[in-house]
Amino acid sequence: MANTGFGAIGSGYPQSVTSTTQQELFQFLEDRFACALACTECARACALRAGLVDPDGTEEQELVRRKGIMCAEVCDATCRVLSEQNRLDEAGMRIQVEWCRTVCLECAHVFDRQPGAEDGAKACRECAQACTDFLDTLN
């Protein structure tokens, strides 16, 4: 018998979802989309902040630049994982989203120490919260 439904390999849904209500499916999809959208916004804000830092600046400025670039790259990769129909299983998706959440919080803490980086820190925190909400959907 062919493996079809929510647990089908490559369906984009967690493999552990075998029986679900329509409302649970909608919640999963909404949280997945909200997380991907927050990742996109965070990647944009982090890339912008990193681009504003002088590459030959102080050690603290270099930290802001490196964290901003790393956060933008992780958020971009996470958005792609969440947006595409791929063959990543639930465990792989969970690891990617948890990594994104961790990097966003680290970046927010670094941005907090920089004048004018409030919008970037806010975007990072909102992305981390969206990741948390999506991870709750997987549980």
Side-chain angles (χ1 to χ4, degrees), residues 23 25 27-28 39 45 54-55 59-60 62 72-73 80-81 100 105 107-108 115 119 121 124 132 138:
Q23 184 168 349
L25 176 60
Q27 187 65 51
F28 169 79
C39 287
D54 180 8
E59 191 174 311
E60 181 67 16
E62 178 59 22
E73 289 176 353
R80 278 186 272 120
V81 164
C100 184
L105 290 175
C107 191
D119 289 344
C124 288
T132 298
L138 293 177

Side-chain angles (χ1 to χ4, degrees), residues 3 19 63 83 108 113 130 136:
N3 189 5
S19 175
L63 177 64
S83 299
R113 300 190 304 250
D136 288 346

Side-chain angles (χ1 to χ4, degrees), residues 5-120:
F6 299 129
I9 300 221
S11 68
Y13 302 110
Q15 289 183 359
S16 66
V17 178
T18 55
S19 175
T20 187
T21 67
Q22 190 173 20
Q23 184 168 349
E24 289 171 328
L25 176 60
F26 288 147
Q27 187 65 51
F28 169 79
L29 293 173
E30 285 176 2
D31 288 347
R32 184 174 174 166
F33 178 74
C35 189
L37 192 59
C39 287
T40 299
E41 180 58 28
C42 186
R44 185 201 61 75
C46 288
L48 178 63
R49 174 54 44 195
L52 294 175
V53 176
D54 180 8
D56 297 321
T58 66
E59 191 174 311
E60 181 67 16
Q61 288 175 322
E62 178 59 22
L63 177 64
V64 169
R65 197 170 80 72
R66 281 187 290 117
K67 287 291 185 177
I69 291 169
M70 181 177 188
C71 192
E73 289 176 353
V74 170
C75 284
D76 182 57
T78 304
C79 180
R80 278 186 272 120
V81 164
L82 295 171
S83 299
E84 298 173 355
Q85 294 292 332
N86 56 40
R87 299 201 182 276
L88 192 65
D89 62 2
E90 181 183 349
M93 188 180 300
R94 182 182 303 277
I95 288 168
Q96 181 69 39
V97 174
E98 286 175 350
W99 182 34
C100 184
R101 177 178 59 185
T102 300
V103 170
C104 285
L105 290 175
E106 288 174 2
C107 191
H109 292 305
V110 171
F111 284 1
D112 284 340
R113 300 190 304 250
Q114 295 298 306
E118 295 83 7
D119 289 344

